[in-house]
């Protein structure tokens, strides 16, 4: 219906497979939908950029961060967003992303980044003492 959101979780597309990306782009066009990249937190920033650049070719302009419940490193998400014209939308804070999307505004994401940095700092200090 008009003004309702329908989320279609498609089969995973390999970012390094042109046929997978072409199929994803065709699906977006055929459904008249919007391509959204679900990107897990904790990935290497360079790999995250490569994934974001690949999915930009399907028309994706929005990232839904996942694994925010268990990842400590957020640099990959920031690098991916900066690599293109990506914006963050909702985010997943549980093992079931499709069932647990929550609003992710700038203030909440800033709190996550600060908590992540503090956890990394504490871990480094603990290792230095050991």
């Amino acid at each position: 219906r008009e003004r309702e959101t329908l989320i279609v979780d498609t089969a995973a597309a390999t970012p390094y497979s042109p046929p997978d990306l072409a199929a994803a782009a065709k699906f977006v066009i055929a459904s008249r939908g919007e391509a959204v990249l679900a990107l897990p937190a904790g990935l290497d920033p360079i790999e995250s950029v490569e994934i974001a650049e690949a999915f930009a070719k399907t028309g994706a302009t929005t990232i839904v961060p996942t694994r925010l419940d268990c990842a400590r490193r957020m640099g990959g998400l920031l690098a991916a967003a900066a690599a293109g014209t990506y914006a963050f939308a909702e985010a997943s804070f549980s093992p079931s992303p499709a069932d647990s999307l929550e609003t992710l505004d700038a203030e909440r994401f800033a709190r996550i980044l600060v908590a992540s940095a503090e956890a990394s700092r504490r871990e480094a200090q603990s290792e230095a003492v050991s």
Side-chain angles (χ1 to χ4, degrees), residues 54-69:
F55 280 97
K57 296 173 186 168
T58 70
T61 59
T62 304
I63 293 174
V64 172
T66 62
R67 296 189 67 230
L68 289 175
D69 58 319

Side-chain angles (χ1 to χ4, degrees), residues 23-100:
K26 285 180 186 176
F27 182 81
V28 171
I29 292 167
S31 67
R32 291 186 257 164
E34 176 185 348
V36 176
L37 173 59
L39 189 67
L43 293 182
D44 174 82
I46 294 171
E47 185 172 13
S48 296
V49 167
E50 290 174 349
I51 292 169
E53 288 173 343
F55 280 97
K57 296 173 186 168
T58 70
T61 59
T62 304
I63 293 174
V64 172
T66 62
R67 296 189 67 230
L68 289 175
D69 58 319
C70 61
R72 280 203 232 160
R73 290 166 183 80
M74 304 296 155
L77 293 173
L78 294 173
T85 56
Y86 280 99
F88 291 115
E90 283 77 15
S92 172
F93 294 85
S94 88
S96 302
D99 298 327
S100 65

